PDB file of all heavy atoms in Angstrom:
ATOM      1  N   TYR A1198      -2.620   0.480  11.661  1.00  0.00           N
ATOM      2  CA  TYR A1198      -1.320   1.117  11.472  1.00  0.00           C
ATOM      3  C   TYR A1198      -0.494   0.429  10.389  1.00  0.00           C
ATOM      4  O   TYR A1198       0.250   1.093   9.660  1.00  0.00           O
ATOM      5  CB  TYR A1198      -0.552   1.155  12.789  1.00  0.00           C
ATOM      6  CG  TYR A1198      -1.067   2.187  13.763  1.00  0.00           C
ATOM      7  CD1 TYR A1198      -1.755   1.803  14.911  1.00  0.00           C
ATOM      8  CD2 TYR A1198      -0.880   3.547  13.530  1.00  0.00           C
ATOM      9  CE1 TYR A1198      -2.235   2.747  15.804  1.00  0.00           C
ATOM     10  CE2 TYR A1198      -1.354   4.498  14.417  1.00  0.00           C
ATOM     11  CZ  TYR A1198      -2.029   4.100  15.558  1.00  0.00           C
ATOM     12  OH  TYR A1198      -2.510   5.042  16.426  1.00  0.00           O
ATOM     13  N   ALA A1199      -0.605  -0.888  10.270  1.00  0.00           N
ATOM     14  CA  ALA A1199       0.140  -1.593   9.225  1.00  0.00           C
ATOM     15  C   ALA A1199      -0.308  -1.136   7.849  1.00  0.00           C
ATOM     16  O   ALA A1199       0.511  -0.914   6.940  1.00  0.00           O
ATOM     17  CB  ALA A1199      -0.039  -3.095   9.370  1.00  0.00           C
ATOM     18  N   THR A1200      -1.617  -0.983   7.664  1.00  0.00           N
ATOM     19  CA  THR A1200      -2.140  -0.536   6.369  1.00  0.00           C
ATOM     20  C   THR A1200      -1.707   0.887   6.064  1.00  0.00           C
ATOM     21  O   THR A1200      -1.097   1.170   5.020  1.00  0.00           O
ATOM     22  CB  THR A1200      -3.678  -0.625   6.357  1.00  0.00           C
ATOM     23  OG1 THR A1200      -4.084  -1.969   6.624  1.00  0.00           O
ATOM     24  CG2 THR A1200      -4.230  -0.183   5.008  1.00  0.00           C
ATOM     25  N   ARG A1201      -2.010   1.797   6.970  1.00  0.00           N
ATOM     26  CA  ARG A1201      -1.708   3.215   6.728  1.00  0.00           C
ATOM     27  C   ARG A1201      -0.221   3.465   6.557  1.00  0.00           C
ATOM     28  O   ARG A1201       0.235   4.126   5.609  1.00  0.00           O
ATOM     29  CB  ARG A1201      -2.246   4.053   7.887  1.00  0.00           C
ATOM     30  CG  ARG A1201      -2.150   5.556   7.656  1.00  0.00           C
ATOM     31  CD  ARG A1201      -2.269   6.335   8.962  1.00  0.00           C
ATOM     32  NE  ARG A1201      -1.097   6.169   9.811  1.00  0.00           N
ATOM     33  CZ  ARG A1201      -0.965   6.738  11.015  1.00  0.00           C
ATOM     34  NH1 ARG A1201      -1.952   7.471  11.511  1.00  0.00           N
ATOM     35  NH2 ARG A1201       0.129   6.572  11.729  1.00  0.00           N
ATOM     36  N   ASN A1202       0.572   2.913   7.477  1.00  0.00           N
ATOM     37  CA  ASN A1202       1.994   3.229   7.478  1.00  0.00           C
ATOM     38  C   ASN A1202       2.762   2.541   6.356  1.00  0.00           C
ATOM     39  O   ASN A1202       3.737   3.084   5.845  1.00  0.00           O
ATOM     40  CB  ASN A1202       2.599   2.890   8.844  1.00  0.00           C
ATOM     41  CG  ASN A1202       2.095   3.810   9.945  1.00  0.00           C
ATOM     42  OD1 ASN A1202       1.451   4.825   9.670  1.00  0.00           O
ATOM     43  ND2 ASN A1202       2.371   3.455  11.186  1.00  0.00           N
ATOM     44  N   THR A1203       2.343   1.324   5.973  1.00  0.00           N
ATOM     45  CA  THR A1203       2.999   0.674   4.832  1.00  0.00           C
ATOM     46  C   THR A1203       2.779   1.486   3.565  1.00  0.00           C
ATOM     47  O   THR A1203       3.703   1.674   2.755  1.00  0.00           O
ATOM     48  CB  THR A1203       2.467  -0.754   4.644  1.00  0.00           C
ATOM     49  OG1 THR A1203       2.746  -1.524   5.813  1.00  0.00           O
ATOM     50  CG2 THR A1203       3.139  -1.435   3.447  1.00  0.00           C
ATOM     51  N   LEU A1204       1.567   1.985   3.382  1.00  0.00           N
ATOM     52  CA  LEU A1204       1.281   2.845   2.233  1.00  0.00           C
ATOM     53  C   LEU A1204       2.133   4.113   2.273  1.00  0.00           C
ATOM     54  O   LEU A1204       2.730   4.511   1.260  1.00  0.00           O
ATOM     55  CB  LEU A1204      -0.207   3.206   2.217  1.00  0.00           C
ATOM     56  CG  LEU A1204      -1.175   2.081   1.831  1.00  0.00           C
ATOM     57  CD1 LEU A1204      -2.589   2.412   2.296  1.00  0.00           C
ATOM     58  CD2 LEU A1204      -1.150   1.844   0.325  1.00  0.00           C
ATOM     59  N   CYS A1205       2.213   4.740   3.437  1.00  0.00           N
ATOM     60  CA  CYS A1205       2.963   5.990   3.561  1.00  0.00           C
ATOM     61  C   CYS A1205       4.463   5.786   3.355  1.00  0.00           C
ATOM     62  O   CYS A1205       5.111   6.552   2.633  1.00  0.00           O
ATOM     63  CB  CYS A1205       2.722   6.605   4.934  1.00  0.00           C
ATOM     64  SG  CYS A1205       1.058   7.251   5.187  1.00  0.00           S
ATOM     65  N   VAL A1206       5.023   4.769   3.987  1.00  0.00           N
ATOM     66  CA  VAL A1206       6.465   4.518   3.886  1.00  0.00           C
ATOM     67  C   VAL A1206       6.850   4.138   2.459  1.00  0.00           C
ATOM     68  O   VAL A1206       7.879   4.576   1.937  1.00  0.00           O
ATOM     69  CB  VAL A1206       6.886   3.432   4.895  1.00  0.00           C
ATOM     70  CG1 VAL A1206       8.310   2.955   4.626  1.00  0.00           C
ATOM     71  CG2 VAL A1206       6.767   3.969   6.320  1.00  0.00           C
ATOM     72  N   SER A1207       6.034   3.339   1.816  1.00  0.00           N
ATOM     73  CA  SER A1207       6.308   2.962   0.434  1.00  0.00           C
ATOM     74  C   SER A1207       6.300   4.187  -0.467  1.00  0.00           C
ATOM     75  O   SER A1207       7.158   4.354  -1.345  1.00  0.00           O
ATOM     76  CB  SER A1207       5.278   1.938  -0.057  1.00  0.00           C
ATOM     77  OG  SER A1207       5.368   0.743   0.689  1.00  0.00           O
ATOM     78  N   ALA A1208       5.327   5.084  -0.252  1.00  0.00           N
ATOM     79  CA  ALA A1208       5.234   6.295  -1.064  1.00  0.00           C
ATOM     80  C   ALA A1208       6.430   7.213  -0.843  1.00  0.00           C
ATOM     81  O   ALA A1208       6.907   7.862  -1.777  1.00  0.00           O
ATOM     82  CB  ALA A1208       3.941   7.034  -0.744  1.00  0.00           C
ATOM     83  N   ARG A1209       6.935   7.231   0.382  1.00  0.00           N
ATOM     84  CA  ARG A1209       8.072   8.105   0.664  1.00  0.00           C
ATOM     85  C   ARG A1209       9.347   7.596   0.025  1.00  0.00           C
ATOM     86  O   ARG A1209      10.098   8.356  -0.596  1.00  0.00           O
ATOM     87  CB  ARG A1209       8.284   8.240   2.163  1.00  0.00           C
ATOM     88  CG  ARG A1209       9.528   9.065   2.506  1.00  0.00           C
ATOM     89  CD  ARG A1209       9.827   9.057   3.998  1.00  0.00           C
ATOM     90  NE  ARG A1209      10.958   9.932   4.279  1.00  0.00           N
ATOM     91  CZ  ARG A1209      11.526  10.045   5.477  1.00  0.00           C
ATOM     92  NH1 ARG A1209      11.060   9.344   6.485  1.00  0.00           N
ATOM     93  NH2 ARG A1209      12.535  10.851   5.666  1.00  0.00           N
ATOM     94  N   HIS A1210       9.614   6.300   0.158  1.00  0.00           N
ATOM     95  CA  HIS A1210      10.911   5.765  -0.252  1.00  0.00           C
ATOM     96  C   HIS A1210      10.948   5.270  -1.690  1.00  0.00           C
ATOM     97  O   HIS A1210      12.039   5.004  -2.221  1.00  0.00           O
ATOM     98  CB  HIS A1210      11.334   4.653   0.713  1.00  0.00           C
ATOM     99  CG  HIS A1210      11.745   5.179   2.056  1.00  0.00           C
ATOM    100  ND1 HIS A1210      13.019   5.630   2.313  1.00  0.00           N
ATOM    101  CD2 HIS A1210      11.047   5.348   3.210  1.00  0.00           C
ATOM    102  CE1 HIS A1210      13.099   6.048   3.561  1.00  0.00           C
ATOM    103  NE2 HIS A1210      11.912   5.884   4.138  1.00  0.00           N
ATOM    104  N   ALA A1211       9.796   5.140  -2.319  1.00  0.00           N
ATOM    105  CA  ALA A1211       9.753   4.768  -3.740  1.00  0.00           C
ATOM    106  C   ALA A1211       8.602   5.526  -4.395  1.00  0.00           C
ATOM    107  O   ALA A1211       7.551   4.948  -4.678  1.00  0.00           O
ATOM    108  CB  ALA A1211       9.593   3.260  -3.901  1.00  0.00           C
ATOM    109  N   PRO A1212       8.773   6.822  -4.614  1.00  0.00           N
ATOM    110  CA  PRO A1212       7.693   7.620  -5.197  1.00  0.00           C
ATOM    111  C   PRO A1212       7.267   7.081  -6.565  1.00  0.00           C
ATOM    112  O   PRO A1212       8.106   6.744  -7.397  1.00  0.00           O
ATOM    113  CB  PRO A1212       8.326   9.015  -5.328  1.00  0.00           C
ATOM    114  CG  PRO A1212       9.468   9.025  -4.366  1.00  0.00           C
ATOM    115  CD  PRO A1212       9.985   7.623  -4.340  1.00  0.00           C
ATOM    116  N   MET A1213       5.977   6.974  -6.770  1.00  0.00           N
ATOM    117  CA  MET A1213       5.418   6.518  -8.032  1.00  0.00           C
ATOM    118  C   MET A1213       4.229   7.390  -8.397  1.00  0.00           C
ATOM    119  O   MET A1213       3.648   8.056  -7.538  1.00  0.00           O
ATOM    120  CB  MET A1213       4.975   5.058  -7.930  1.00  0.00           C
ATOM    121  CG  MET A1213       6.081   4.051  -7.770  1.00  0.00           C
ATOM    122  SD  MET A1213       5.420   2.357  -7.656  1.00  0.00           S
ATOM    123  CE  MET A1213       6.938   1.412  -7.530  1.00  0.00           C
ATOM    124  N   LYS A1214       3.865   7.339  -9.669  1.00  0.00           N
ATOM    125  CA  LYS A1214       2.712   8.091 -10.135  1.00  0.00           C
ATOM    126  C   LYS A1214       1.809   7.199 -10.970  1.00  0.00           C
ATOM    127  O   LYS A1214       2.227   6.143 -11.451  1.00  0.00           O
ATOM    128  CB  LYS A1214       3.156   9.302 -10.960  1.00  0.00           C
ATOM    129  CG  LYS A1214       3.951  10.341 -10.192  1.00  0.00           C
ATOM    130  CD  LYS A1214       4.331  11.504 -11.095  1.00  0.00           C
ATOM    131  CE  LYS A1214       5.117  12.562 -10.320  1.00  0.00           C
ATOM    132  NZ  LYS A1214       5.503  13.710 -11.188  1.00  0.00           N
ATOM    133  N   GLY A1215       0.592   7.640 -11.131  1.00  0.00           N
ATOM    134  CA  GLY A1215      -0.325   6.986 -12.059  1.00  0.00           C
ATOM    135  C   GLY A1215      -0.625   5.547 -11.724  1.00  0.00           C
ATOM    136  O   GLY A1215      -0.795   5.164 -10.556  1.00  0.00           O
ATOM    137  N   LEU A1216      -0.670   4.707 -12.758  1.00  0.00           N
ATOM    138  CA  LEU A1216      -1.054   3.308 -12.607  1.00  0.00           C
ATOM    139  C   LEU A1216      -0.077   2.525 -11.739  1.00  0.00           C
ATOM    140  O   LEU A1216      -0.485   1.615 -11.006  1.00  0.00           O
ATOM    141  CB  LEU A1216      -1.182   2.649 -13.981  1.00  0.00           C
ATOM    142  CG  LEU A1216      -2.401   3.062 -14.820  1.00  0.00           C
ATOM    143  CD1 LEU A1216      -2.345   2.396 -16.181  1.00  0.00           C
ATOM    144  CD2 LEU A1216      -3.694   2.697 -14.086  1.00  0.00           C
ATOM    145  N   ALA A1217       1.205   2.856 -11.802  1.00  0.00           N
ATOM    146  CA  ALA A1217       2.197   2.135 -11.008  1.00  0.00           C
ATOM    147  C   ALA A1217       1.911   2.303  -9.520  1.00  0.00           C
ATOM    148  O   ALA A1217       1.940   1.344  -8.746  1.00  0.00           O
ATOM    149  CB  ALA A1217       3.600   2.626 -11.333  1.00  0.00           C
ATOM    150  N   ARG A1218       1.624   3.533  -9.109  1.00  0.00           N
ATOM    151  CA  ARG A1218       1.309   3.774  -7.694  1.00  0.00           C
ATOM    152  C   ARG A1218      -0.013   3.113  -7.320  1.00  0.00           C
ATOM    153  O   ARG A1218      -0.132   2.537  -6.233  1.00  0.00           O
ATOM    154  CB  ARG A1218       1.244   5.273  -7.425  1.00  0.00           C
ATOM    155  CG  ARG A1218       0.871   5.601  -5.982  1.00  0.00           C
ATOM    156  CD  ARG A1218       1.117   7.048  -5.661  1.00  0.00           C
ATOM    157  NE  ARG A1218       0.774   7.325  -4.267  1.00  0.00           N
ATOM    158  CZ  ARG A1218       1.128   8.431  -3.614  1.00  0.00           C
ATOM    159  NH1 ARG A1218       1.856   9.351  -4.217  1.00  0.00           N
ATOM    160  NH2 ARG A1218       0.775   8.610  -2.352  1.00  0.00           N
ATOM    161  N   LEU A1219      -0.996   3.186  -8.190  1.00  0.00           N
ATOM    162  CA  LEU A1219      -2.281   2.576  -7.905  1.00  0.00           C
ATOM    163  C   LEU A1219      -2.150   1.068  -7.731  1.00  0.00           C
ATOM    164  O   LEU A1219      -2.736   0.490  -6.803  1.00  0.00           O
ATOM    165  CB  LEU A1219      -3.275   2.885  -9.028  1.00  0.00           C
ATOM    166  CG  LEU A1219      -4.680   2.281  -8.868  1.00  0.00           C
ATOM    167  CD1 LEU A1219      -5.333   2.788  -7.589  1.00  0.00           C
ATOM    168  CD2 LEU A1219      -5.543   2.594 -10.087  1.00  0.00           C
ATOM    169  N   ARG A1220      -1.363   0.422  -8.580  1.00  0.00           N
ATOM    170  CA  ARG A1220      -1.160  -1.036  -8.462  1.00  0.00           C
ATOM    171  C   ARG A1220      -0.506  -1.387  -7.131  1.00  0.00           C
ATOM    172  O   ARG A1220      -0.900  -2.349  -6.482  1.00  0.00           O
ATOM    173  CB  ARG A1220      -0.304  -1.540  -9.632  1.00  0.00           C
ATOM    174  CG  ARG A1220      -1.070  -1.724 -10.934  1.00  0.00           C
ATOM    175  CD  ARG A1220      -0.272  -2.556 -11.916  1.00  0.00           C
ATOM    176  NE  ARG A1220       0.969  -1.884 -12.296  1.00  0.00           N
ATOM    177  CZ  ARG A1220       1.095  -1.104 -13.372  1.00  0.00           C
ATOM    178  NH1 ARG A1220       0.049  -0.901 -14.153  1.00  0.00           N
ATOM    179  NH2 ARG A1220       2.245  -0.536 -13.654  1.00  0.00           N
ATOM    180  N   ARG A1221       0.518  -0.613  -6.758  1.00  0.00           N
ATOM    181  CA  ARG A1221       1.184  -0.893  -5.486  1.00  0.00           C
ATOM    182  C   ARG A1221       0.228  -0.699  -4.314  1.00  0.00           C
ATOM    183  O   ARG A1221       0.166  -1.526  -3.395  1.00  0.00           O
ATOM    184  CB  ARG A1221       2.402  -0.003  -5.303  1.00  0.00           C
ATOM    185  CG  ARG A1221       3.129  -0.242  -3.968  1.00  0.00           C
ATOM    186  CD  ARG A1221       4.305   0.669  -3.796  1.00  0.00           C
ATOM    187  NE  ARG A1221       3.928   2.081  -3.782  1.00  0.00           N
ATOM    188  CZ  ARG A1221       4.784   3.085  -3.871  1.00  0.00           C
ATOM    189  NH1 ARG A1221       6.068   2.832  -3.979  1.00  0.00           N
ATOM    190  NH2 ARG A1221       4.360   4.341  -3.844  1.00  0.00           N
ATOM    191  N   ASP A1222      -0.513   0.407  -4.323  1.00  0.00           N
ATOM    192  CA  ASP A1222      -1.444   0.679  -3.228  1.00  0.00           C
ATOM    193  C   ASP A1222      -2.504  -0.408  -3.118  1.00  0.00           C
ATOM    194  O   ASP A1222      -2.860  -0.848  -2.007  1.00  0.00           O
ATOM    195  CB  ASP A1222      -2.105   2.039  -3.421  1.00  0.00           C
ATOM    196  CG  ASP A1222      -1.143   3.199  -3.201  1.00  0.00           C
ATOM    197  OD1 ASP A1222       0.030   2.939  -2.854  1.00  0.00           O
ATOM    198  OD2 ASP A1222      -1.567   4.359  -3.366  1.00  0.00           O
ATOM    199  N   LEU A1223      -2.996  -0.874  -4.243  1.00  0.00           N
ATOM    200  CA  LEU A1223      -3.995  -1.940  -4.234  1.00  0.00           C
ATOM    201  C   LEU A1223      -3.409  -3.243  -3.705  1.00  0.00           C
ATOM    202  O   LEU A1223      -4.076  -3.993  -2.990  1.00  0.00           O
ATOM    203  CB  LEU A1223      -4.574  -2.135  -5.633  1.00  0.00           C
ATOM    204  CG  LEU A1223      -5.545  -1.052  -6.117  1.00  0.00           C
ATOM    205  CD1 LEU A1223      -5.921  -1.284  -7.568  1.00  0.00           C
ATOM    206  CD2 LEU A1223      -6.795  -1.007  -5.242  1.00  0.00           C
ATOM    207  N   MET A1224      -2.144  -3.521  -4.040  1.00  0.00           N
ATOM    208  CA  MET A1224      -1.504  -4.737  -3.538  1.00  0.00           C
ATOM    209  C   MET A1224      -1.367  -4.685  -2.020  1.00  0.00           C
ATOM    210  O   MET A1224      -1.626  -5.675  -1.328  1.00  0.00           O
ATOM    211  CB  MET A1224      -0.130  -4.915  -4.189  1.00  0.00           C
ATOM    212  CG  MET A1224       0.602  -6.173  -3.734  1.00  0.00           C
ATOM    213  SD  MET A1224      -0.348  -7.697  -4.028  1.00  0.00           S
ATOM    214  CE  MET A1224      -0.391  -7.691  -5.827  1.00  0.00           C
ATOM    215  N   ILE A1225      -0.965  -3.544  -1.490  1.00  0.00           N
ATOM    216  CA  ILE A1225      -0.856  -3.394  -0.037  1.00  0.00           C
ATOM    217  C   ILE A1225      -2.222  -3.594   0.614  1.00  0.00           C
ATOM    218  O   ILE A1225      -2.347  -4.263   1.651  1.00  0.00           O
ATOM    219  CB  ILE A1225      -0.277  -2.009   0.314  1.00  0.00           C
ATOM    220  CG1 ILE A1225       1.171  -1.902  -0.175  1.00  0.00           C
ATOM    221  CG2 ILE A1225      -0.352  -1.743   1.822  1.00  0.00           C
ATOM    222  CD1 ILE A1225       1.760  -0.504  -0.077  1.00  0.00           C
ATOM    223  N   TRP A1226      -3.250  -3.024   0.007  1.00  0.00           N
ATOM    224  CA  TRP A1226      -4.605  -3.150   0.534  1.00  0.00           C
ATOM    225  C   TRP A1226      -5.068  -4.604   0.497  1.00  0.00           C
ATOM    226  O   TRP A1226      -5.663  -5.113   1.463  1.00  0.00           O
ATOM    227  CB  TRP A1226      -5.529  -2.261  -0.284  1.00  0.00           C
ATOM    228  CG  TRP A1226      -6.932  -2.177   0.219  1.00  0.00           C
ATOM    229  CD1 TRP A1226      -7.368  -1.558   1.350  1.00  0.00           C
ATOM    230  CD2 TRP A1226      -8.095  -2.741  -0.393  1.00  0.00           C
ATOM    231  NE1 TRP A1226      -8.734  -1.697   1.482  1.00  0.00           N
ATOM    232  CE2 TRP A1226      -9.206  -2.410   0.421  1.00  0.00           C
ATOM    233  CE3 TRP A1226      -8.305  -3.473  -1.562  1.00  0.00           C
ATOM    234  CZ2 TRP A1226     -10.500  -2.811   0.106  1.00  0.00           C
ATOM    235  CZ3 TRP A1226      -9.604  -3.863  -1.879  1.00  0.00           C
ATOM    236  CH2 TRP A1226     -10.673  -3.533  -1.056  1.00  0.00           C
ATOM    237  N   LEU A1227      -4.769  -5.322  -0.585  1.00  0.00           N
ATOM    238  CA  LEU A1227      -5.178  -6.722  -0.708  1.00  0.00           C
ATOM    239  C   LEU A1227      -4.460  -7.601   0.315  1.00  0.00           C
ATOM    240  O   LEU A1227      -5.059  -8.522   0.888  1.00  0.00           O
ATOM    241  CB  LEU A1227      -4.910  -7.227  -2.122  1.00  0.00           C
ATOM    242  CG  LEU A1227      -5.833  -6.662  -3.212  1.00  0.00           C
ATOM    243  CD1 LEU A1227      -5.342  -7.069  -4.590  1.00  0.00           C
ATOM    244  CD2 LEU A1227      -7.270  -7.129  -2.998  1.00  0.00           C
ATOM    245  N   VAL A1228      -3.192  -7.339   0.534  1.00  0.00           N
ATOM    246  CA  VAL A1228      -2.446  -8.095   1.553  1.00  0.00           C
ATOM    247  C   VAL A1228      -3.066  -7.862   2.928  1.00  0.00           C
ATOM    248  O   VAL A1228      -3.210  -8.795   3.729  1.00  0.00           O
ATOM    249  CB  VAL A1228      -0.962  -7.697   1.548  1.00  0.00           C
ATOM    250  CG1 VAL A1228      -0.242  -8.268   2.770  1.00  0.00           C
ATOM    251  CG2 VAL A1228      -0.284  -8.184   0.269  1.00  0.00           C
ATOM    252  N   ALA A1229      -3.462  -6.625   3.208  1.00  0.00           N
ATOM    253  CA  ALA A1229      -4.128  -6.326   4.481  1.00  0.00           C
ATOM    254  C   ALA A1229      -5.419  -7.112   4.620  1.00  0.00           C
ATOM    255  O   ALA A1229      -5.753  -7.598   5.713  1.00  0.00           O
ATOM    256  CB  ALA A1229      -4.391  -4.825   4.592  1.00  0.00           C
ATOM    257  N   LEU A1230      -6.148  -7.271   3.530  1.00  0.00           N
ATOM    258  CA  LEU A1230      -7.394  -8.038   3.576  1.00  0.00           C
ATOM    259  C   LEU A1230      -7.128  -9.516   3.843  1.00  0.00           C
ATOM    260  O   LEU A1230      -7.927 -10.190   4.507  1.00  0.00           O
ATOM    261  CB  LEU A1230      -8.154  -7.867   2.255  1.00  0.00           C
ATOM    262  CG  LEU A1230      -8.714  -6.471   1.985  1.00  0.00           C
ATOM    263  CD1 LEU A1230      -9.500  -6.473   0.677  1.00  0.00           C
ATOM    264  CD2 LEU A1230      -9.606  -5.992   3.136  1.00  0.00           C
ATOM    265  N   VAL A1231      -6.022 -10.037   3.331  1.00  0.00           N
ATOM    266  CA  VAL A1231      -5.649 -11.431   3.621  1.00  0.00           C
ATOM    267  C   VAL A1231      -5.449 -11.618   5.117  1.00  0.00           C
ATOM    268  O   VAL A1231      -5.893 -12.609   5.713  1.00  0.00           O
ATOM    269  CB  VAL A1231      -4.380 -11.828   2.848  1.00  0.00           C
ATOM    270  CG1 VAL A1231      -3.852 -13.175   3.345  1.00  0.00           C
ATOM    271  CG2 VAL A1231      -4.673 -11.892   1.354  1.00  0.00           C
ATOM    272  N   HIS A1232      -4.789 -10.642   5.755  1.00  0.00           N
ATOM    273  CA  HIS A1232      -4.563 -10.722   7.201  1.00  0.00           C
ATOM    274  C   HIS A1232      -5.874 -10.611   7.977  1.00  0.00           C
ATOM    275  O   HIS A1232      -5.994 -11.162   9.079  1.00  0.00           O
ATOM    276  CB  HIS A1232      -3.583  -9.635   7.643  1.00  0.00           C
ATOM    277  CG  HIS A1232      -2.162  -9.939   7.291  1.00  0.00           C
ATOM    278  ND1 HIS A1232      -1.377 -10.808   8.013  1.00  0.00           N
ATOM    279  CD2 HIS A1232      -1.383  -9.501   6.275  1.00  0.00           C
ATOM    280  CE1 HIS A1232      -0.182 -10.892   7.477  1.00  0.00           C
ATOM    281  NE2 HIS A1232      -0.149 -10.109   6.416  1.00  0.00           N
ATOM    282  N   VAL A1233      -6.847  -9.905   7.420  1.00  0.00           N
ATOM    283  CA  VAL A1233      -8.157  -9.790   8.069  1.00  0.00           C
ATOM    284  C   VAL A1233      -8.757 -11.170   8.308  1.00  0.00           C
ATOM    285  O   VAL A1233      -9.370 -11.433   9.358  1.00  0.00           O
ATOM    286  CB  VAL A1233      -9.103  -8.922   7.204  1.00  0.00           C
ATOM    287  CG1 VAL A1233     -10.560  -9.124   7.628  1.00  0.00           C
ATOM    288  CG2 VAL A1233      -8.718  -7.450   7.326  1.00  0.00           C
ATOM    289  N   ARG A1234      -8.583 -12.078   7.369  1.00  0.00           N
ATOM    290  CA  ARG A1234      -9.164 -13.414   7.481  1.00  0.00           C
ATOM    291  C   ARG A1234      -8.575 -14.216   8.629  1.00  0.00           C
ATOM    292  O   ARG A1234      -9.204 -15.154   9.124  1.00  0.00           O
ATOM    293  CB  ARG A1234      -8.953 -14.182   6.172  1.00  0.00           C
ATOM    294  CG  ARG A1234      -9.645 -13.541   4.963  1.00  0.00           C
ATOM    295  CD  ARG A1234      -9.360 -14.316   3.702  1.00  0.00           C
ATOM    296  NE  ARG A1234      -9.806 -15.695   3.804  1.00  0.00           N
ATOM    297  CZ  ARG A1234      -9.539 -16.636   2.893  1.00  0.00           C
ATOM    298  NH1 ARG A1234      -8.798 -16.330   1.832  1.00  0.00           N
ATOM    299  NH2 ARG A1234      -9.980 -17.864   3.055  1.00  0.00           N
TER     300      ARG A1234
END
């Protein structure tokens, strides 16, 4: 839920397109992987 909802909430409250959105989404995903450890 932290992964899915952080991505969704960020997209809702700060809409981005293209590379900017991709960078943000990847950062959220990478932070989630840190927590996996």
Side-chain angles (χ1 to χ4, degrees):
Y1198 285 109
T1200 302
R1201 188 198 70 181
N1202 292 349
T1203 299
L1204 288 161
C1205 290
V1206 169
S1207 297
R1209 176 187 184 186
H1210 288 275
M1213 292 180 178
K1214 296 181 179 180
L1216 288 177
R1218 178 167 181 166
L1219 179 60
R1220 281 195 297 266
R1221 179 181 61 192
D1222 289 358
L1223 286 174
M1224 181 57 65
I1225 294 171
W1226 186 70
L1227 289 171
V1228 169
L1230 292 183
V1231 170
H1232 284 281
V1233 163
R1234 298 178 59 188

